[in-house]
Amino acid sequence: MTLIDKLKRGEIPSHLPAIAVREQRDPQVVVDRLLSGRAVMPQNSGKTLPQPVVIGEGFRTKINANIGTSPDHDHQAEELKKIDVAVAAGADAVMDLSTGARIRDTRRRVIAKSLVAVGTVPIYEAAVRARDRYKAFVNMPVDDLFDVIRDHGADGVDFITVHCGATRAVVEMLARQGRVMDMVSRGGSLLVEWMIYNDRENPLFEHYDRLLEIAREFDMTLSLGDGFRPGCLADATDRAQIGELMVLGDLTSRAREAGVQVMIEGPGHVPLHQIEENMKIEKSLCEGAPFYVLGPLVTDIAPGYDHITAAIGGALAAMHGADFLCYVTPAEHLRLPTVEDVRQGVIASRIAAHAADIAKGIPGAMEADLAISRARKALDWEEQARHAIDPELVRRMRSERPPRDENLCTMCGEFCAIRASSEAYRLLNIKK
Amino acid sequence: MTLIDKLKRGEIPSHLPAIAVREQRDPQVVVDRLLSGRAVMPQNSGKTLPQPVVIGEGFRTKINANIGTSPDHDHQAEELKKIDVAVAAGADAVMDLSTGARIRDTRRRVIAKSLVAVGTVPIYEAAVRARDRYKAFVNMPVDDLFDVIRDHGADGVDFITVHCGATRAVVEMLARQGRVMDMVSRGGSLLVEWMIYNDRENPLFEHYDRLLEIAREFDMTLSLGDGFRPGCLADATDRAQIGELMVLGDLTSRAREAGVQVMIEGPGHVPLHQIEENMKIEKSLCEGAPFYVLGPLVTDIAPGYDHITAAIGGALAAMHGADFLCYVTPAEHLRLPTVEDVRQGVIASRIAAHAADIAKGIPGAMEADLAISRARKALDWEEQARHAIDPELVRRMRSERPPRDENLCTMCGEFCAIRASSEAYRLLNIKK
């Protein structure tokens, strides 16, 4: 039985009340949102997560951190270390995107180690297996792909990205329309290469019921991937992107009927003025399914700073309805991220998510802002650090340039605005 | 004669056509916007700037970098070095906010060195002088303040922040209303302390005509400061802030009648969902005057990362009408910034400004994005670096983890989406 089956029978999972407390919502609201599909709670039925989360409308915006080896940088220990750093920095989920050697071993270690939900993109392992067994991914038999997906379920994966909407019809729509960058989704482009080479339909679309069966078996949440997400601003919000999204909307409805939880993946590279419409059309085409966005990056020209570019887009996206932000690190477009890149990426995403949660009126979102502001007014520096997103950095930066008066800081010194305005209003009250 | 006087007589300054070319606009558009006050071109009449810029509606969003000594960190050479770094990173103006010793000497060196417009906040020097001459700022005679402003004009300052709108009426409005952080503007809070201590009106408001005379004499642009800008999200968009803005709107109109250019300074700390309204109300209350914003910071809890917080707010602000972004560095709220903090601050602001310029449809804004995207599709890494906001960083980060195939990168290696999708669409075209 899946979570949805249980909820339909009136069974409340034991961890749900604690989640409702953390979200400052009534448990019934959580149940209703899950039943309606407007929120998901990814957790493989074969395990118990220490920190399951609810992702969707009305709840705190969640953050995912991608980790994983690649053929060119294949260091399992480094990737495992990234999980600790990402979760410590506030990630609510991690995705293991490994494509190096020992993929299954890495995945099992990731799952064993992670306190938070783990997602994967099974097509990557299918590609590696097919390369090793049949010399090239394009020679992959369809059964192998589903075998890999079943392995992921059996290993305890909580959610999987599946590019079910990258159909022949959308491939051809893109061919007619043209694009600057065609496809930039790794899984999507591999699938499309397979489809064209073999002159076949997308097997994840053609055999979607088979996918749903496996998802039900392990209660894996489907994260319907956007193979046609725009890879540059010039390609944003075009017919290929929206055409695929319409397919995903249809598949969302089929998954819900099967009692399988679904979220939708979204762009990508999107100019600032198109973000709101992108969020709203996902909600309307996909019947309110949680939207999981990568970025969006609001310019193409900032490699090395794409955590900032994504924080801008992510904040606006989450304000307008995105529920789950996939972090982007400073290494995006350049190389596999380092451990420090991962930390920077998670923090930038958290800033974006938090700013949006305040804008969305998420219960409790303003509490930390109010606490740090009161500490600022009181010139209480340790209390400021305690409420900051990165307390250690606050203490370190301040200590690098110690002020003469320890109540002040080296920016203004004796000309401190807080000191001056406190004195002014003290005088005003005396004179009254 | 001021720039506005000359334009009214039909005289076109020699540097204006070059500015129009850089903005990809007709020179007449530049002239019309300057005459209407919807744009300004700060330049002291006593000098010729190598890189004057136009700031306002329909033009590229500009960036300011603050530099300057403080009593607690008083190193002139370091501050001068920041100018080189800020301008190299793309700053369009710098403000010298020095409050250390040798203020006038520092200012003159800043002006001599800077290729871009230089702004100051004369009240800071007035505060330092009064402390030295009369033991405390509150003992400052009004004439001394105007003497300092005249000195700034004589030295070649292009624009000055003057908190003319922090009137007794607004001070009392704030006292009635209450706030978490009262005032966080350094100049504004000093002035208010002086006003309450001496039981006087704000001299910059009371003697505004005298200020306009000095501004005319040196053709300094007035940047009407926001002494009551909110210092935390909880204080945003309140009656004190909007009350002061209404006074600034009135003063804008008086400055325009006097042929003096004006821009308006804005918040501050503003939640994401209040940014659009803040930009629109400035434009309506101040008759379209250019809006120069500090941030806005969209959360209070991210000291150490406030360049990111400000990039989120700045991008949204500029999309909705802000014309000039004052950078925020990672050191904000903690200490005086280092040279590297300055560089990080300028780049984060440029990303925000650029993203907004694309959204606003500023002519030519998308060119670099298209060029880098085409280079990405071609897997041409050196061409990507050339079009990036920080080419050196792109080259360095990529070289830190060299890929096996130099056409690819270590993120995906052989499973490169661009390679796969190019192959897919090549095959599709062959089969057709």
Side-chain angles (χ1 to χ4, degrees):
Chain A
M1 287 217 304
T2 66
L3 171 68
I4 297 301
D5 296 335
K6 289 178 192 161
L7 291 173
K8 280 184 185 161
R9 292 164 58 136
E11 292 176 31
I12 304 296
S14 59
H15 54 280
L16 197 141
I19 289 175
V21 168
R22 279 207 305 278
E23 296 283 345
Q24 303 191 23
R25 303 303 295 251
D26 190 279
Q28 193 57 46
V29 172
V30 181
V31 170
D32 291 347
R33 290 279 156 80
L34 291 169
L35 278 172
S36 70
R38 301 180 88 84
V40 296
M41 191 187 293
Q43 178 166 239
N44 188 297
S45 52
K47 70 181 191 192
T48 305
L49 273 175
Q51 292 179 21
V53 288
V54 59
I55 301 166
E57 190 185 301
F59 303 114
R60 186 173 58 75
T61 304
K62 305 302 186 297
I63 305 299
N64 174 73
N66 290 335
I67 61 115
T69 61
S70 81
D72 285 17
H73 192 85
D74 196 358
H75 303 291
Q76 193 186 70
E78 184 180 339
E79 300 310 312
L80 292 172
K81 169 84 181 144
K82 289 178 184 173
I83 298 179
D84 292 334
V85 167
V87 173
D92 299 287
V94 294
M95 289 190 80
D96 173 18
L97 306 187
S98 291
T99 53
R102 296 185 295 156
I103 286 193
R104 191 163 197 182
D105 180 61
T106 302
R107 179 169 64 250
R108 286 173 166 173
R109 287 174 193 265
V110 166
I111 291 167
K113 191 179 187 43
S114 178
L115 302 172
V116 298
V118 173
T120 57
V121 189
I123 193 89
Y124 297 170
E125 186 175 7
V128 172
R129 267 196 211 176
R131 178 200 63 196
D132 295 345
R133 290 184 187 169
Y134 317 108
K135 291 194 179 157
F137 173 62
V138 290
N139 298 322
M140 173 192 75
V142 168
D143 284 345
D144 280 26
L145 175 55
F146 286 97
D147 288 346
V148 168
I149 294 172
R150 175 174 297 276
D151 287 350
H152 284 229
D155 287 344
V157 168
D158 302 296
F159 62 101
I160 51 172
T161 294
V162 273
H163 300 89
C164 307
T167 61
R168 289 298 295 256
V170 183
V171 169
E172 278 152 26
M173 190 185 287
L174 175 56
R176 287 193 303 275
Q177 174 202 268
R179 250 188 183 183
V180 174
M181 294 209 59
D182 293 333
M183 299 180 74
V184 296
S185 154
R186 188 165 25 158
S189 63
L190 287 168
L191 259 180
V192 168
E193 188 183 358
W194 184 96
M195 288 154 60
I196 306 294
Y197 183 86
N198 295 291
D199 202 12
R200 298 269 301 269
E201 183 49 282
N202 178 344
L204 295 171
F205 175 77
E206 193 175 356
H207 307 290
Y208 187 63
D209 289 330
R210 190 170 168 187
L211 177 64
L212 290 177
E213 267 173 49
I214 303 173
R216 277 192 60 82
E217 185 178 345
F218 303 102
D219 202 5
M220 285 191 290
T221 297
L222 297 186
S223 187
L224 296 177
D226 54 335
F228 290 87
R229 69 167 174 268
C232 63
L233 299 192
D235 293 343
T237 326
D238 66 356
R239 294 192 293 281
Q241 182 197 324
I242 304 301
E244 182 183 33
L245 188 63
M246 291 181 66
V247 178
L248 299 184
D250 198 37
L251 299 178
T252 296
S253 164
R254 285 171 62 189
R256 285 180 182 171
E257 282 161 27
V260 171
Q261 298 188 95
V262 182
M263 53 190 171
I264 307 292
E265 295 188 10
H269 293 237
V270 183
L272 209 49
H273 63 293
Q274 290 181 7
I275 290 177
E276 182 175 354
E277 73 199 53
N278 267 273
M279 300 307 117
K280 291 186 170 165
I281 198 156
E282 183 277 337
K283 292 286 178 182
S284 75
L285 292 178
C286 301
E287 301 170 26
F291 204 16
Y292 174 26
V293 300
L294 174 58
L297 299 175
V298 294
T299 169
D300 306 320
I301 66 167
Y305 300 92
D306 275 330
H307 60 311
I308 298 177
T309 316
I312 297 172
L316 199 59
M319 175 165 87
H320 290 299
D323 307 284
F324 194 21
L325 302 181
C326 184
Y327 85 164
V328 174
T329 79
E332 188 72 22
H333 298 110
L334 295 174
R335 57 163 165 72
L336 209 68
T338 62
V339 171
E340 180 56 21
D341 289 331
V342 165
R343 218 177 64 82
Q344 294 294 322
V346 171
I347 289 178
S349 290
R350 276 189 64 202
I351 292 171
H354 178 71
D357 285 346
I358 291 167
K360 283 195 275 198
I362 298 295
M366 276 281 291
E367 286 168 10
D369 295 77
L370 206 51
I372 201 171
S373 300
R374 288 186 173 133
R376 271 195 187 125
K377 178 69 181 171
L379 294 167
D380 183 339
W381 296 88
E382 178 48 29
E383 183 74 2
Q384 288 177 58
R386 251 198 306 278
H387 293 286
I389 204 161
D390 188 346
E392 201 187 312
L393 178 67
V394 167
R395 294 181 190 115
R396 188 171 70 239
M397 286 183 70
R398 190 167 145 77
S399 69
E400 281 165 9
R401 297 194 159 177
R404 279 188 288 198
D405 176 346
E406 66 175 24
N407 292 314
L408 306 177
C409 88
T410 54
M411 174 76 93
C412 306
E414 67 194 280
F415 301 109
C416 173
I418 290 170
R419 190 209 53 73
S421 63
S422 297
E423 178 60 16
Y425 280 92
R426 192 185 64 81
L427 288 176
L428 188 67
N429 286 326
I430 290 170
K431 292 190 176 182
K432 267 184 178 169
Chain B
M1 285 218 307
T2 67
L3 171 68
I4 298 299
D5 296 336
K6 289 180 190 160
L7 291 173
K8 281 183 183 161
R9 292 163 56 136
E11 291 176 31
I12 304 296
S14 59
H15 54 280
L16 195 140
I19 288 175
V21 167
R22 277 207 304 279
E23 296 283 346
Q24 304 192 21
R25 303 302 295 250
D26 190 279
Q28 192 57 45
V29 171
V30 181
V31 170
D32 292 346
R33 291 277 156 79
L34 290 169
L35 278 171
S36 70
R38 303 182 86 85
V40 296
M41 193 186 292
Q43 178 166 239
N44 187 297
S45 53
K47 70 180 192 191
T48 305
L49 273 175
Q51 293 178 20
V53 288
V54 60
I55 300 166
E57 189 185 300
F59 303 115
R60 187 174 57 77
T61 304
K62 304 304 187 295
I63 305 298
N64 175 73
N66 290 336
I67 61 116
T69 61
S70 81
D72 285 17
H73 192 88
D74 196 358
H75 303 288
Q76 193 185 71
E78 184 181 338
E79 300 310 312
L80 292 172
K81 168 82 180 148
K82 289 179 183 173
I83 299 178
D84 292 333
V85 167
V87 174
D92 299 288
V94 294
M95 290 192 79
D96 173 18
L97 307 187
S98 291
T99 53
R102 296 185 295 156
I103 287 193
R104 190 164 198 182
D105 179 62
T106 302
R107 178 169 65 251
R108 287 173 164 172
R109 287 174 194 263
V110 166
I111 291 167
K113 191 178 187 45
S114 178
L115 302 171
V116 298
V118 173
T120 58
V121 188
I123 193 89
Y124 296 170
E125 186 174 7
V128 173
R129 268 196 211 177
R131 176 199 63 193
D132 296 344
R133 289 184 188 170
Y134 318 107
K135 290 194 181 160
F137 173 61
V138 289
N139 299 321
M140 174 191 76
V142 168
D143 283 347
D144 280 27
L145 176 55
F146 286 97
D147 287 348
V148 169
I149 295 172
R150 175 175 297 278
D151 287 349
H152 283 231
D155 287 344
V157 168
D158 303 295
F159 62 101
I160 51 171
T161 293
V162 273
H163 300 88
C164 308
T167 62
R168 289 301 293 256
V170 182
V171 168
E172 280 151 25
M173 188 183 291
L174 175 57
R176 287 194 303 276
Q177 173 202 267
R179 247 187 186 184
V180 174
M181 293 208 58
D182 292 334
M183 299 181 73
V184 296
S185 155
R186 188 164 26 158
S189 62
L190 287 168
L191 259 179
V192 168
E193 189 183 358
W194 184 96
M195 289 156 59
I196 305 294
Y197 183 87
N198 295 291
D199 201 11
R200 299 267 304 267
E201 183 50 283
N202 179 344
L204 295 171
F205 175 78
E206 193 175 358
H207 308 290
Y208 188 63
D209 289 331
R210 189 169 169 189
L211 177 65
L212 290 177
E213 268 174 47
I214 303 174
R216 277 194 59 82
E217 185 178 344
F218 303 102
D219 201 6
M220 284 192 289
T221 297
L222 297 186
S223 188
L224 296 178
D226 53 337
F228 290 88
R229 71 167 171 269
C232 63
L233 299 193
D235 293 342
T237 327
D238 67 356
R239 295 191 294 279
Q241 182 197 323
I242 305 301
E244 181 183 35
L245 188 64
M246 291 182 64
V247 178
L248 299 184
D250 198 38
L251 298 177
T252 297
S253 164
R254 284 170 63 189
R256 285 180 183 171
E257 282 162 26
V260 170
Q261 299 188 93
V262 182
M263 52 190 170
I264 306 294
E265 296 187 10
H269 292 238
V270 184
L272 208 50
H273 62 294
Q274 291 181 6
I275 290 178
E276 181 175 354
E277 73 200 53
N278 267 274
M279 301 306 118
K280 291 186 171 165
I281 199 157
E282 183 277 336
K283 292 287 177 182
S284 75
L285 293 178
C286 301
E287 301 172 25
F291 204 18
Y292 174 25
V293 300
L294 173 59
L297 298 176
V298 293
T299 169
D300 306 319
I301 66 166
Y305 301 92
D306 275 330
H307 60 311
I308 297 178
T309 316
I312 296 171
L316 199 59
M319 174 166 89
H320 290 298
D323 308 283
F324 193 21
L325 302 181
C326 184
Y327 85 163
V328 174
T329 80
E332 187 74 21
H333 299 109
L334 296 174
R335 58 161 165 72
L336 210 68
T338 62
V339 171
E340 179 57 20
D341 289 330
V342 166
R343 217 177 64 81
Q344 293 295 322
V346 172
I347 289 179
S349 290
R350 276 189 64 202
I351 291 171
H354 179 71
D357 286 347
I358 291 167
K360 285 195 274 198
I362 298 296
M366 274 283 290
E367 285 168 10
D369 295 77
L370 205 52
I372 200 171
S373 300
R374 287 187 173 132
R376 270 193 188 126
K377 178 69 182 173
L379 295 167
D380 183 338
W381 296 88
E382 178 47 31
E383 183 74 2
Q384 288 178 56
R386 251 198 305 278
H387 292 287
I389 205 161
D390 189 346
E392 200 186 313
L393 179 66
V394 166
R395 293 181 191 113
R396 188 171 70 239
M397 285 184 71
R398 190 167 146 76
S399 70
E400 279 166 9
R401 296 194 159 176
R404 278 188 289 197
D405 176 345
E406 65 175 23
N407 291 315
L408 306 176
C409 88
T410 54
M411 174 77 92
C412 306
E414 67 194 280
F415 301 108
C416 171
I418 290 170
R419 190 209 53 73
S421 64
S422 297
E423 178 59 15
Y425 280 92
R426 191 185 65 80
L427 287 176
L428 187 68
N429 285 327
I430 289 170
K431 291 190 176 183
K432 266 183 179 168

